[in-house]
Amino acid sequence: MQSDSNFVFVLFGGTGDLSMRKILPALFEAHRAGMLNPAGRIVCVAREAWDQGAYRRWVEEHVKPHVSKDGLDDAVWRSFLERMQYVGLDLGRAEDFVLLRDTLAQYDGTRVFYLATGPKLFVPICRALSDVGLNQNARIVLEKPLGYDLKSSNAINDAVGEIFQEEQIYRIDHYLGKEPVQNLLALRFSNVLFEPLWRREWVESIQITIAEELGVEARGDFYDNTGALRDMVQNHLLQLLSIVTMEPPHSMDSDSVRDEKLRVLRALKPIDERDISRVAVRGQYHAGVIRGAAVPAYATEPGVRPDSTTETFVALKVEIDNWRWAGVPFFLRTGKRLADRVAEIVVNFRTVPHSALGANALRAGANRLVIRLQPNESIRLYCLAKQPGEGMNLASVHLDLAFDQFFKEGQMEAYQRLLLDVIHGRLALFVRRDEQEAAWRWVEPILNAWASGTSKPKPYAAGTWGPAASSAMLAQHGTCWLEEEN
């Protein structure tokens, strides 16, 4: 459906990896689907002194491989390139921002400034935009990580908040745009079947995993100063946790949804530094084999210090101190160079209190809901059923909602959904400042304890599921990670 919202989308970092792999492919898919106003324009900004032809050749080479080849039409691709204009810009030259302002003056519509840059450039860019009057009738999109800790995050938010109002600021977390996350909200709040079960009386534990096969690739310098806790837990995992556990909002407007997520983040049980070794596991990958190929140890990756103690793996036991979830353990896990690329939420329901059908009906995990976010997005409900034949023998069966099979229309990628939400001015799937502060405040004791140097990351071989201590932590609660059970 074509949008009536006219826009000018200004992409800082317009030659960078994120722009090439995610942002411009998402805008192309929206363009191909007819979801963008025909008058909307995309202005890409970077420091290279290129003309329009050089930039379009760069896009042809680096963006086209990341778009779907199904029905890819040369005329549609050319019409997408015609939306684009390139502006070479030196952040240190005020006159370059005057040139940008004059370029944007040619176009009508809401201005969207997407900062696909490092966080140290957020404030200088925002101030330069303000100096030439480009902070009015505008929206600003900030990529993570937003800061290094609570103090630095607040410093960035304070500075950006002096230039843009909170309702103009879109802090993006692409996991919130994934189809199964949206369907989780629909599943919980539109079906009377699930709501009575979504509480401590019926849920035994919940696991949230974001696992990657890749290492740090070309991001060694960045990652070695960041680590998995800052890169994944403080944002993606805590946001998913808040979506899974929040109370029903009175509506789906932006502040109603974000108010409920904030209540969850504020209800996270604080972690005492003395307990961190019991509820938090950090690891670092060593050399190993993934899908038959040898991969190097983290400490030998380009840009990584040989004596680095940066964690590439984190597993946490989390508790929520509120009426609905008190006493339920939540296990969060993320890591690089793991055995598989998978992101999923696993809701383990309690066993029946008594079974007339034998001990098999009392086994853990008999009833569970598995929400797969990647690579194949789906929702699967497991239950027990009688096997055909003589006797009352039970087997695990599942009911599937496989989106690609049930819905014939193509799925919308996370970045595509979120970019359209920015253009339309919808804030519900973006992180509000008070949410971000609550998340940083909760992780800080872990950051401080690990920074003290009293312990080092536990080693794990690339191609495995992380340190054994991660499994041991769950075993203390009589459970295990999903792949260990299977």
Side-chain angles (χ1 to χ4, degrees):
M1 181 182 295
Q2 181 176 303
S3 168
D4 293 328
S5 300
N6 198 5
F7 66 93
V8 184
F9 190 96
V10 184
L11 178 59
F12 284 87
T15 60
D17 184 63
L18 179 64
S19 297
M20 298 298 105
R21 289 188 303 107
K22 295 294 184 182
I23 301 170
L24 289 177
L27 288 171
F28 171 74
E29 295 300 344
H31 168 84
R32 173 158 58 174
M35 294 178 170
L36 299 180
N37 188 304
R41 289 294 176 265
I42 302 168
V43 177
C44 299
V45 177
R47 62 175 175 264
E48 287 81 4
W50 290 347
D51 60 20
Q52 304 304 317
Y55 183 70
R56 289 183 179 182
R57 288 191 293 274
W58 178 267
V59 170
E60 183 86 22
E61 180 181 353
H62 292 89
V63 175
K64 209 169 186 180
H66 298 290
V67 304
S68 171
K69 301 304 184 291
D70 293 340
L72 182 58
D73 184 273
D74 286 343
V76 175
W77 177 254
R78 287 195 301 271
S79 66
F80 176 67
L81 293 180
E82 288 168 3
R83 282 188 186 268
M84 302 175 66
Q85 184 169 350
Y86 178 74
V87 174
L89 185 148
D90 184 335
L91 295 180
R93 289 167 51 90
E95 55 267 36
D96 285 3
F97 279 87
V98 173
L99 172 63
L100 177 62
R101 181 193 63 193
D102 294 343
T103 299
L104 300 184
Q106 306 172 51
Y107 307 121
D108 296 325
T110 299
R111 290 167 181 158
V112 174
F113 296 103
Y114 196 117
L115 307 192
T117 67
K120 67 181 180 181
L121 299 179
F122 291 173
V123 174
I125 291 174
C126 289
R127 286 176 176 158
L129 292 173
S130 177
D131 288 343
V132 294
L134 288 176
N135 59 324
Q136 305 299 317
N137 187 31
R139 296 165 188 150
I140 189 89
V141 186
L142 305 179
E143 266 285 349
K144 64 96 176 170
L146 201 67
Y148 186 76
D149 52 18
L150 179 60
K151 181 179 179 181
S152 59
S153 175
N154 282 341
I156 294 173
N157 277 316
D158 287 344
V160 174
E162 292 175 359
I163 299 164
F164 294 93
Q165 300 297 313
E166 179 64 26
E167 60 269 19
Q168 294 177 278
I169 303 172
Y170 292 69
R171 299 173 190 86
I172 194 166
D173 187 324
H174 70 276
Y175 275 86
L176 299 184
K178 288 182 176 292
E179 195 72 53
V181 176
Q182 304 300 296
N183 258 298
L184 175 59
L185 296 174
L187 200 72
R188 280 194 61 191
F189 303 139
S190 299
N191 295 285
V192 71
L193 173 67
F194 287 103
E195 178 55 29
L197 303 179
W198 216 263
R199 60 191 66 247
R200 62 184 303 274
E201 291 86 355
W202 303 110
V203 174
E204 185 175 74
S205 66
I206 293 180
Q207 302 174 14
I208 305 178
T209 293
I210 302 176
E212 300 177 274
E213 287 185 335
L214 293 176
V216 295
E217 306 309 299
R219 301 166 69 232
D221 287 333
F222 161 78
Y223 197 89
D224 206 40
N225 291 297
T226 304
L229 188 65
R230 291 184 177 91
D231 191 43
M232 299 297 289
V233 176
Q234 183 271 334
N235 38 70
H236 298 325
L237 281 168
L238 290 186
Q239 282 293 316
L240 290 176
L241 176 64
S242 65
I243 287 283
V244 170
T245 59
M246 72 183 194
E247 294 297 316
H250 75 82
S251 74
M252 293 305 292
D253 70 79
S254 60
D255 280 329
S256 296
V257 172
R258 297 190 294 180
D259 285 347
E260 298 303 336
K261 288 198 295 169
L262 177 63
R263 289 189 178 96
V264 172
L265 294 170
R266 287 179 171 170
L268 293 176
K269 185 176 180 179
I271 294 181
D272 190 292
E273 289 191 21
R274 294 169 296 185
D275 294 330
I276 286 174
S277 61
R278 183 176 57 85
V279 299
V281 176
R282 64 170 174 159
Q284 186 184 99
Y285 66 82
H286 287 199
V289 177
I290 296 180
R291 300 192 185 279
V295 295
Y298 172 76
T300 66
E301 298 273 20
V304 175
R305 295 162 295 174
D307 60 347
S308 174
T309 58
T310 298
E311 77 283 354
T312 62
F313 175 95
V314 175
L316 301 171
K317 173 183 174 279
V318 180
E319 295 181 68
I320 300 174
D321 280 345
N322 64 16
W323 191 271
R324 183 184 289 265
W325 296 112
V328 176
F330 296 84
F331 300 105
L332 311 184
R333 176 178 59 164
T334 186
K336 290 188 173 295
R337 292 297 191 200
L338 298 182
D340 200 1
R341 172 181 175 264
V342 62
E344 64 187 7
I345 300 164
V346 180
V347 181
N348 290 311
F349 294 99
R350 297 189 185 277
T351 59
V352 294
H354 169 74
S355 174
L357 303 180
N360 198 27
L362 296 173
R363 70 172 185 256
N367 296 142
R368 70 162 46 111
L369 187 69
V370 178
I371 301 136
R372 177 65 65 91
L373 307 179
Q374 64 183 30
N376 301 312
E377 299 179 340
S378 64
I379 295 178
R380 179 172 286 185
L381 177 63
Y382 288 83
C383 54
L384 293 177
K386 178 188 175 299
Q387 288 183 326
E390 185 180 4
M392 186 57 73
N393 299 312
L394 302 180
S396 178
V397 297
H398 55 263
L399 309 174
D400 263 342
L401 174 54
F403 302 114
D404 58 345
Q405 297 178 25
F406 194 86
F407 298 107
K408 299 307 179 186
E409 60 270 23
Q411 291 185 58
M412 192 181 295
E413 292 293 330
Y415 268 99
Q416 182 180 342
R417 172 181 288 104
L418 293 173
L419 295 182
L420 289 172
D421 277 2
V422 177
I423 290 169
H424 290 295
R426 297 189 288 250
L427 277 159
L429 298 182
F430 295 84
V431 180
R432 204 167 59 191
R433 175 174 180 170
D434 49 10
E435 291 180 74
Q436 194 171 68
E437 288 180 1
W440 274 120
R441 191 170 289 111
W442 185 80
V443 302
E444 276 215 322
I446 310 173
L447 288 171
N448 293 338
W450 289 352
S452 69
T454 56
S455 65
K456 294 183 178 180
K458 298 181 184 301
Y460 65 96
T464 67
W465 283 103
S470 166
S471 299
M473 183 173 67
L474 271 69
Q476 293 173 3
H477 296 273
T479 188
C480 63
W481 295 109
L482 182 61
E483 77 280 350
E484 294 172 334
E485 182 177 305
N486 292 340

